[in-house]
């Protein structure tokens, strides 16, 4: 499979920017779930999902994103999205996620929203 | 001109990569533009995952097929399997207006299918489920 999923984290002040790259499919969402669980457990729960590198998203991936936002909210954290490519943004819209997710055009504005 | 590409797949999620590659090659050959290609790839993965996980209950000993074709109408995918009769199009719609705490986790896949593909039909033909989905292509609109 081309462009398998990967995650890379970088710290900007108290916010973690998580770059999601490749295919958020079955395998991708497993990896995603594992990493998010670990982050939320250590209260690393002020997170920006940078979606610029996402090339594909399956309903399993949507479920994982929704669960992450839901779980972080329950424990007082906050997750926002930025830079989703048009194809991926279209899927978010169909799923009705634009009403559930807070989105920003780029990482800078997304990170600044935590101030 | 309509050339059909027939793809035989085993009921194993590792086959999804083969399906994605075959669909990519088909889209290349038929000059399917990107927004449509992306939508079709998402739809194909949902259809195949549904057949493997729900139709065949993750039992890997079965096969199913996907046929891809294009015509003036758009791009059509036909998924044929011999799992127990099941019409995915008849599953209840997700409520995309529900608040986040109440959002159902299931049902999203079919919701995506119905919204990404403009035409959909299901037929039980003998011992086979035949699901047909058509996407109207941007360049054909």
């Amino acid at each position: 499979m081309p462009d398998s999923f990967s995650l890379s984290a970088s710290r900007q002040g108290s916010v973690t920017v998580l770059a999601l790259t490749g295919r958020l499919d079955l395998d991708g969402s497993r990896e995603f779930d594992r990493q998010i669980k670990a982050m939320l457990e250590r209260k690393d729960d002020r997170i920006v999902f940078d979606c610029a590198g996402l090339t594909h998203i399956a309903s399993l991936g949507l479920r994982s994103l929704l669960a992450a936002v839901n779980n972080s909210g329950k424990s007082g954290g906050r997750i926002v999205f930025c830079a989703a490519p048009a194809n991926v943004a279209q899927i978010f819209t169909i799923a009705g996620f634009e009403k559930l997710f807070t989105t920003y055009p780029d990482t800078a504005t997304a990170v600044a929203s935590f101030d | 001109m309509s050339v059909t590409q027939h793809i035989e797949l085993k009921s194993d999620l590792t086959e999804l990569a083969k399906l994605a590659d075959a669909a990519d090659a088909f889209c290349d050959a038929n000059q399917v533009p990107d927004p449509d290609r992306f939508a079709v790839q998402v739809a194909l993965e949902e259809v195949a995952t549904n057949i493997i996980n729900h139709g065949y209950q993750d039992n890997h000993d079965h096969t199913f097929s996907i046929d891809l074709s294009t015509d003036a109408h758009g791009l059509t995918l036909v998924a044929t399997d011999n799992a127990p009769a099941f019409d995915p199009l008849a599953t209840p719609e997700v409520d995309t207006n529900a608040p986040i705490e109440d959002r159902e986790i299931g049902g999203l896949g079919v919701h995506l299918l119905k919204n990404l593909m403009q035409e959909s039909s299901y037929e039980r033909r003998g011992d086979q489920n035949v699901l047909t989905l058509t996407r109207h292509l941007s360049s054909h609109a």
Side-chain angles (χ1 to χ4, degrees):
Chain A
M1 180 80 71
D3 54 0
S4 62
F5 183 73
S6 69
L7 272 167
S8 69
S10 65
R11 198 78 182 168
Q12 300 206 15
S14 64
V15 178
T16 298
V17 176
L18 210 52
L20 314 179
T21 307
R23 301 174 54 87
L24 193 50
D25 54 10
L26 176 76
D27 290 337
S29 54
R30 276 191 192 134
E31 173 65 12
F32 174 88
D33 290 347
R34 201 175 59 75
Q35 300 242 21
I36 291 298
K37 186 164 179 283
M39 287 178 70
L40 295 184
E41 276 171 5
R42 59 173 185 263
K43 281 278 168 195
D44 182 0
D45 57 5
R46 290 156 62 86
I47 310 171
V48 173
F49 287 159
D50 175 358
C51 301
L54 278 184
T55 55
H56 177 95
I57 187 158
S59 62
L60 284 166
L62 291 174
R63 281 164 212 164
S64 291
L65 294 175
L66 186 61
V69 170
N70 230 340
N71 291 336
S72 72
K74 278 181 203 152
S75 60
R78 180 169 180 256
I79 292 177
V80 302
F81 291 72
C82 74
N87 282 336
V88 172
Q90 183 206 357
I91 302 289
F92 286 173
T93 303
I94 291 173
F97 283 5
E98 85 281 11
K99 286 169 274 188
L100 306 178
F101 294 172
T102 310
T103 60
Y104 295 93
D106 52 54
T107 49
T109 50
V111 170
S113 75
F114 283 84
D115 291 343
Chain B
M1 183 203 70
S2 175
V3 180
T4 298
Q5 177 162 356
H6 180 77
I7 308 159
E8 282 281 340
L9 298 158
K10 294 196 277 285
S11 55
D12 187 325
L13 290 170
T14 59
E15 294 277 277
L16 293 177
K18 179 177 155 188
L19 175 61
D21 288 345
D24 243 347
F26 179 83
C27 289
D28 281 342
N30 291 279
Q31 291 159 356
V32 175
D34 181 53
D36 298 317
R37 176 187 294 240
F38 183 87
V40 167
Q41 285 285 14
V42 170
L44 278 172
E45 180 165 331
E46 296 300 333
V47 167
T49 304
N50 228 4
I51 292 173
I52 297 165
N53 284 346
H54 303 295
Y56 293 127
Q57 303 282 314
D58 282 324
N59 180 328
H60 295 177
D61 300 332
H62 302 278
T63 59
F64 63 103
S65 68
I66 305 273
D67 290 282
L68 297 173
S69 60
T70 55
D71 59 18
H73 218 51
L75 187 154
T76 297
L77 73 91
V78 181
T80 308
D81 67 72
N82 59 6
F86 175 67
D87 177 2
L89 302 173
T91 55
E93 276 280 320
V94 288
D95 178 5
T96 56
N97 287 310
I100 192 159
E101 318 79 63
D102 299 340
R103 285 297 293 266
E104 295 284 337
I105 288 300
L108 257 182
V110 171
H111 178 75
L112 286 184
L113 282 185
K114 287 182 179 169
N115 284 277
L116 291 171
M117 309 297 275
Q118 284 80 26
E119 296 173 33
S120 55
S121 67
Y122 166 83
E123 195 187 336
R124 183 70 177 174
R125 226 178 263 165
D127 65 347
Q128 293 186 318
N129 296 302
V130 183
L131 180 66
T132 305
L133 298 161
T134 299
R135 165 124 181 145
H136 299 164
L137 301 178
S138 342
S139 57
H140 295 226

mmCIF file of all heavy atoms in Angstrom, chain A residues 4-9 18-39 49 60-61 64-65 68:
data_model
loop_
_atom_site.group_PDB
_atom_site.id
_atom_site.type_symbol
_atom_site.label_atom_id
_atom_site.label_comp_id
_atom_site.label_asym_id
_atom_site.label_seq_id
_atom_site.Cartn_x
_atom_site.Cartn_y
_atom_site.Cartn_z
ATOM 1 N N SER A 4 1.674 4.643 3.709
ATOM 2 C CA SER A 4 1.087 4.149 4.943
ATOM 3 C C SER A 4 1.121 5.260 5.999
ATOM 4 O O SER A 4 1.879 6.214 5.894
ATOM 5 C CB SER A 4 1.823 2.919 5.430
ATOM 6 O OG SER A 4 3.154 3.241 5.699
ATOM 7 N N PHE A 5 0.283 5.097 7.004
ATOM 8 C CA PHE A 5 0.043 6.168 7.959
ATOM 9 C C PHE A 5 1.231 6.404 8.882
ATOM 10 O O PHE A 5 1.882 5.465 9.319
ATOM 11 C CB PHE A 5 -1.190 5.806 8.794
ATOM 12 C CG PHE A 5 -1.584 6.861 9.774
ATOM 13 C CD1 PHE A 5 -2.175 8.039 9.333
ATOM 14 C CD2 PHE A 5 -1.358 6.696 11.122
ATOM 15 C CE1 PHE A 5 -2.538 9.025 10.231
ATOM 16 C CE2 PHE A 5 -1.721 7.674 12.028
ATOM 17 C CZ PHE A 5 -2.308 8.842 11.579
ATOM 18 N N SER A 6 1.496 7.666 9.168
ATOM 19 C CA SER A 6 2.473 7.967 10.207
ATOM 20 C C SER A 6 2.055 9.224 10.957
ATOM 21 O O SER A 6 1.273 10.039 10.462
ATOM 22 C CB SER A 6 3.866 8.141 9.607
ATOM 23 O OG SER A 6 3.911 9.317 8.838
ATOM 24 N N LEU A 7 2.571 9.325 12.166
ATOM 25 C CA LEU A 7 2.256 10.433 13.063
ATOM 26 C C LEU A 7 3.558 11.043 13.525
ATOM 27 O O LEU A 7 4.480 10.316 13.872
ATOM 28 C CB LEU A 7 1.615 9.869 14.330
ATOM 29 C CG LEU A 7 0.120 9.638 14.427
ATOM 30 C CD1 LEU A 7 -0.141 8.787 15.653
ATOM 31 C CD2 LEU A 7 -0.586 10.953 14.546
ATOM 32 N N SER A 8 3.637 12.368 13.524
ATOM 33 C CA SER A 8 4.818 12.929 14.176
ATOM 34 C C SER A 8 4.398 14.119 15.024
ATOM 35 O O SER A 8 3.561 14.937 14.618
ATOM 36 C CB SER A 8 5.877 13.317 13.147
ATOM 37 O OG SER A 8 5.444 14.411 12.405
ATOM 38 N N ALA A 9 4.947 14.155 16.238
ATOM 39 C CA ALA A 9 4.545 15.159 17.223
ATOM 40 C C ALA A 9 5.619 16.217 17.371
ATOM 41 O O ALA A 9 6.808 15.915 17.340
ATOM 42 C CB ALA A 9 4.284 14.483 18.562
ATOM 43 N N LEU A 18 0.314 17.498 16.155
ATOM 44 C CA LEU A 18 0.454 16.131 15.678
ATOM 45 C C LEU A 18 0.205 16.126 14.177
ATOM 46 O O LEU A 18 -0.916 16.372 13.729
ATOM 47 C CB LEU A 18 -0.581 15.269 16.401
ATOM 48 C CG LEU A 18 -0.281 13.811 16.661
ATOM 49 C CD1 LEU A 18 1.052 13.619 17.333
ATOM 50 C CD2 LEU A 18 -1.388 13.218 17.512
ATOM 51 N N ALA A 19 1.246 15.879 13.415
ATOM 52 C CA ALA A 19 1.094 15.838 11.952
ATOM 53 C C ALA A 19 0.650 14.439 11.553
ATOM 54 O O ALA A 19 1.327 13.450 11.839
ATOM 55 C CB ALA A 19 2.404 16.199 11.280
ATOM 56 N N LEU A 20 -0.514 14.361 10.916
ATOM 57 C CA LEU A 20 -1.063 13.077 10.456
ATOM 58 C C LEU A 20 -0.737 12.958 8.973
ATOM 59 O O LEU A 20 -1.103 13.816 8.182
ATOM 60 C CB LEU A 20 -2.579 13.030 10.654
ATOM 61 C CG LEU A 20 -3.128 13.511 11.999
ATOM 62 C CD1 LEU A 20 -4.655 13.408 12.013
ATOM 63 C CD2 LEU A 20 -2.539 12.698 13.142
ATOM 64 N N THR A 21 -0.049 11.883 8.606
ATOM 65 C CA THR A 21 0.410 11.741 7.228
ATOM 66 C C THR A 21 0.000 10.387 6.660
ATOM 67 O O THR A 21 0.050 9.384 7.373
ATOM 68 C CB THR A 21 1.958 11.871 7.182
ATOM 69 O OG1 THR A 21 2.326 13.086 7.823
ATOM 70 C CG2 THR A 21 2.476 11.894 5.746
ATOM 71 N N GLY A 22 -0.419 10.395 5.396
ATOM 72 C CA GLY A 22 -0.700 9.140 4.703
ATOM 73 C C GLY A 22 -2.147 8.712 4.820
ATOM 74 O O GLY A 22 -3.047 9.547 4.879
ATOM 75 N N ARG A 23 -2.360 7.404 4.890
ATOM 76 C CA ARG A 23 -3.713 6.844 4.835
ATOM 77 C C ARG A 23 -4.254 6.550 6.227
ATOM 78 O O ARG A 23 -3.760 5.660 6.911
ATOM 79 C CB ARG A 23 -3.691 5.537 4.044
ATOM 80 C CG ARG A 23 -3.181 5.663 2.605
ATOM 81 C CD ARG A 23 -3.069 4.289 1.962
ATOM 82 N NE ARG A 23 -4.328 3.569 2.066
ATOM 83 C CZ ARG A 23 -5.314 3.683 1.175
ATOM 84 N NH1 ARG A 23 -5.199 4.446 0.135
ATOM 85 N NH2 ARG A 23 -6.429 3.001 1.347
ATOM 86 N N LEU A 24 -5.302 7.283 6.611
ATOM 87 C CA LEU A 24 -5.953 6.991 7.896
ATOM 88 C C LEU A 24 -7.041 5.947 7.630
ATOM 89 O O LEU A 24 -8.229 6.237 7.603
ATOM 90 C CB LEU A 24 -6.513 8.283 8.514
ATOM 91 C CG LEU A 24 -6.960 8.227 9.977
ATOM 92 C CD1 LEU A 24 -5.897 7.613 10.879
ATOM 93 C CD2 LEU A 24 -7.340 9.594 10.487
ATOM 94 N N ASP A 25 -6.578 4.716 7.408
ATOM 95 C CA ASP A 25 -7.469 3.600 7.101
ATOM 96 C C ASP A 25 -7.470 2.647 8.297
ATOM 97 O O ASP A 25 -7.198 3.060 9.419
ATOM 98 C CB ASP A 25 -7.020 2.915 5.802
ATOM 99 C CG ASP A 25 -5.557 2.503 5.855
ATOM 100 O OD1 ASP A 25 -4.945 2.567 6.947
ATOM 101 O OD2 ASP A 25 -5.016 2.102 4.803
ATOM 102 N N LEU A 26 -7.741 1.395 8.060
ATOM 103 C CA LEU A 26 -7.793 0.429 9.154
ATOM 104 C C LEU A 26 -6.485 0.397 9.944
ATOM 105 O O LEU A 26 -6.466 0.579 11.161
ATOM 106 C CB LEU A 26 -8.099 -0.965 8.591
ATOM 107 C CG LEU A 26 -8.096 -2.079 9.618
ATOM 108 C CD1 LEU A 26 -9.352 -2.042 10.459
ATOM 109 C CD2 LEU A 26 -7.972 -3.436 8.927
ATOM 110 N N ASP A 27 -5.369 0.181 9.250
ATOM 111 C CA ASP A 27 -4.070 0.121 9.923
ATOM 112 C C ASP A 27 -3.726 1.475 10.531
ATOM 113 O O ASP A 27 -3.240 1.563 11.654
ATOM 114 C CB ASP A 27 -2.971 -0.279 8.932
ATOM 115 C CG ASP A 27 -3.113 -1.725 8.506
ATOM 116 O OD1 ASP A 27 -3.734 -2.507 9.257
ATOM 117 O OD2 ASP A 27 -2.618 -2.077 7.420
ATOM 118 N N GLY A 28 -3.984 2.520 9.756
ATOM 119 C CA GLY A 28 -3.680 3.873 10.215
ATOM 120 C C GLY A 28 -4.433 4.222 11.480
ATOM 121 O O GLY A 28 -3.864 4.789 12.416
ATOM 122 N N SER A 29 -5.709 3.862 11.532
ATOM 123 C CA SER A 29 -6.489 4.255 12.703
ATOM 124 C C SER A 29 -6.094 3.446 13.934
ATOM 125 O O SER A 29 -6.172 3.941 15.049
ATOM 126 C CB SER A 29 -7.994 4.192 12.430
ATOM 127 O OG SER A 29 -8.366 2.942 11.963
ATOM 128 N N ARG A 30 -5.607 2.226 13.730
ATOM 129 C CA ARG A 30 -5.096 1.451 14.871
ATOM 130 C C ARG A 30 -3.905 2.157 15.511
ATOM 131 O O ARG A 30 -3.823 2.315 16.723
ATOM 132 C CB ARG A 30 -4.650 0.059 14.412
ATOM 133 C CG ARG A 30 -5.778 -0.914 14.347
ATOM 134 C CD ARG A 30 -5.243 -2.335 14.145
ATOM 135 N NE ARG A 30 -6.329 -3.219 13.814
ATOM 136 C CZ ARG A 30 -6.304 -4.110 12.842
ATOM 137 N NH1 ARG A 30 -5.214 -4.262 12.105
ATOM 138 N NH2 ARG A 30 -7.335 -4.876 12.616
ATOM 139 N N GLU A 31 -2.981 2.560 14.645
ATOM 140 C CA GLU A 31 -1.791 3.250 15.109
ATOM 141 C C GLU A 31 -2.168 4.569 15.784
ATOM 142 O O GLU A 31 -1.673 4.924 16.855
ATOM 143 C CB GLU A 31 -0.864 3.497 13.897
ATOM 144 C CG GLU A 31 0.365 4.346 14.155
ATOM 145 C CD GLU A 31 1.347 3.693 15.111
ATOM 146 O OE1 GLU A 31 1.197 2.490 15.397
ATOM 147 O OE2 GLU A 31 2.257 4.418 15.570
ATOM 148 N N PHE A 32 -3.087 5.287 15.148
ATOM 149 C CA PHE A 32 -3.571 6.553 15.672
ATOM 150 C C PHE A 32 -4.182 6.358 17.063
ATOM 151 O O PHE A 32 -3.841 7.064 18.019
ATOM 152 C CB PHE A 32 -4.600 7.131 14.689
ATOM 153 C CG PHE A 32 -5.285 8.374 15.162
ATOM 154 C CD1 PHE A 32 -4.735 9.624 14.924
ATOM 155 C CD2 PHE A 32 -6.499 8.299 15.844
ATOM 156 C CE1 PHE A 32 -5.371 10.781 15.358
ATOM 157 C CE2 PHE A 32 -7.141 9.453 16.277
ATOM 158 C CZ PHE A 32 -6.577 10.687 16.038
ATOM 159 N N ASP A 33 -5.071 5.375 17.190
ATOM 160 C CA ASP A 33 -5.749 5.127 18.472
ATOM 161 C C ASP A 33 -4.746 4.844 19.591
ATOM 162 O O ASP A 33 -4.886 5.331 20.704
ATOM 163 C CB ASP A 33 -6.692 3.913 18.354
ATOM 164 C CG ASP A 33 -7.907 4.197 17.480
ATOM 165 O OD1 ASP A 33 -8.153 5.380 17.182
ATOM 166 O OD2 ASP A 33 -8.588 3.228 17.099
ATOM 167 N N ARG A 34 -3.741 4.049 19.246
ATOM 168 C CA ARG A 34 -2.737 3.661 20.231
ATOM 169 C C ARG A 34 -1.991 4.899 20.748
ATOM 170 O O ARG A 34 -1.823 5.090 21.947
ATOM 171 C CB ARG A 34 -1.763 2.687 19.540
ATOM 172 C CG ARG A 34 -0.963 1.799 20.455
ATOM 173 C CD ARG A 34 -0.138 0.806 19.633
ATOM 174 N NE ARG A 34 0.795 1.446 18.714
ATOM 175 C CZ ARG A 34 1.929 2.017 19.077
ATOM 176 N NH1 ARG A 34 2.299 2.005 20.346
ATOM 177 N NH2 ARG A 34 2.709 2.585 18.194
ATOM 178 N N GLN A 35 -1.570 5.733 19.821
ATOM 179 C CA GLN A 35 -0.791 6.918 20.197
ATOM 180 C C GLN A 35 -1.633 7.938 20.959
ATOM 181 O O GLN A 35 -1.163 8.556 21.907
ATOM 182 C CB GLN A 35 -0.225 7.579 18.930
ATOM 183 C CG GLN A 35 0.683 6.644 18.153
ATOM 184 C CD GLN A 35 2.093 7.175 18.077
ATOM 185 O OE1 GLN A 35 2.495 8.004 18.879
ATOM 186 N NE2 GLN A 35 2.853 6.694 17.102
ATOM 187 N N ILE A 36 -2.878 8.129 20.508
ATOM 188 C CA ILE A 36 -3.738 9.117 21.172
ATOM 189 C C ILE A 36 -4.057 8.675 22.594
ATOM 190 O O ILE A 36 -4.051 9.471 23.526
ATOM 191 C CB ILE A 36 -5.059 9.312 20.375
ATOM 192 C CG1 ILE A 36 -4.767 10.009 19.059
ATOM 193 C CG2 ILE A 36 -6.081 10.102 21.182
ATOM 194 C CD1 ILE A 36 -4.179 11.386 19.200
ATOM 195 N N LYS A 37 -4.292 7.371 22.753
ATOM 196 C CA LYS A 37 -4.598 6.850 24.087
ATOM 197 C C LYS A 37 -3.440 7.176 25.031
ATOM 198 O O LYS A 37 -3.642 7.667 26.138
ATOM 199 C CB LYS A 37 -4.811 5.337 23.994
ATOM 200 C CG LYS A 37 -5.280 4.680 25.261
ATOM 201 C CD LYS A 37 -5.818 3.284 24.959
ATOM 202 C CE LYS A 37 -6.282 2.579 26.228
ATOM 203 N NZ LYS A 37 -5.158 2.044 27.031
ATOM 204 N N ALA A 38 -2.228 6.913 24.552
ATOM 205 C CA ALA A 38 -1.040 7.170 25.381
ATOM 206 C C ALA A 38 -0.922 8.665 25.701
ATOM 207 O O ALA A 38 -0.602 9.039 26.837
ATOM 208 C CB ALA A 38 0.209 6.674 24.657
ATOM 209 N N MET A 39 -1.168 9.512 24.716
ATOM 210 C CA MET A 39 -1.072 10.954 24.949
ATOM 211 C C MET A 39 -2.089 11.422 25.980
ATOM 212 O O MET A 39 -1.761 12.162 26.902
ATOM 213 C CB MET A 39 -1.291 11.727 23.638
ATOM 214 C CG MET A 39 -0.122 11.643 22.680
ATOM 215 S SD MET A 39 -0.461 12.534 21.128
ATOM 216 C CE MET A 39 -0.423 14.246 21.681
ATOM 217 N N PHE A 49 -4.361 18.665 15.439
ATOM 218 C CA PHE A 49 -4.172 17.663 14.391
ATOM 219 C C PHE A 49 -3.888 18.398 13.089
ATOM 220 O O PHE A 49 -4.784 19.038 12.528
ATOM 221 C CB PHE A 49 -5.425 16.797 14.207
ATOM 222 C CG PHE A 49 -5.680 15.802 15.301
ATOM 223 C CD1 PHE A 49 -6.959 15.284 15.501
ATOM 224 C CD2 PHE A 49 -4.660 15.366 16.124
ATOM 225 C CE1 PHE A 49 -7.205 14.352 16.505
ATOM 226 C CE2 PHE A 49 -4.888 14.432 17.136
ATOM 227 C CZ PHE A 49 -6.161 13.928 17.325
ATOM 228 N N LEU A 60 -13.387 4.223 9.419
ATOM 229 C CA LEU A 60 -12.697 3.844 10.658
ATOM 230 C C LEU A 60 -11.839 4.995 11.161
ATOM 231 O O LEU A 60 -11.742 5.234 12.365
ATOM 232 C CB LEU A 60 -11.794 2.628 10.404
ATOM 233 C CG LEU A 60 -12.520 1.294 10.299
ATOM 234 C CD1 LEU A 60 -11.580 0.244 9.707
ATOM 235 C CD2 LEU A 60 -13.009 0.857 11.659
ATOM 236 N N GLY A 61 -11.203 5.685 10.241
ATOM 237 C CA GLY A 61 -10.389 6.845 10.601
ATOM 238 C C GLY A 61 -11.246 7.955 11.175
ATOM 239 O O GLY A 61 -10.875 8.603 12.152
ATOM 240 N N SER A 64 -12.096 7.157 14.661
ATOM 241 C CA SER A 64 -10.961 7.377 15.560
ATOM 242 C C SER A 64 -10.814 8.860 15.896
ATOM 243 O O SER A 64 -10.562 9.216 17.042
ATOM 244 C CB SER A 64 -9.667 6.867 14.921
ATOM 245 O OG SER A 64 -9.698 5.464 14.851
ATOM 246 N N LEU A 65 -10.965 9.723 14.894
ATOM 247 C CA LEU A 65 -10.858 11.169 15.130
ATOM 248 C C LEU A 65 -11.954 11.631 16.088
ATOM 249 O O LEU A 65 -11.704 12.388 17.026
ATOM 250 C CB LEU A 65 -10.962 11.936 13.804
ATOM 251 C CG LEU A 65 -9.827 11.744 12.800
ATOM 252 C CD1 LEU A 65 -10.141 12.483 11.501
ATOM 253 C CD2 LEU A 65 -8.496 12.229 13.372
ATOM 254 N N ALA A 68 -11.246 10.497 19.583
ATOM 255 C CA ALA A 68 -10.153 11.272 20.184
ATOM 256 C C ALA A 68 -10.674 12.606 20.709
ATOM 257 O O ALA A 68 -10.387 13.004 21.846
ATOM 258 C CB ALA A 68 -9.041 11.498 19.157
#
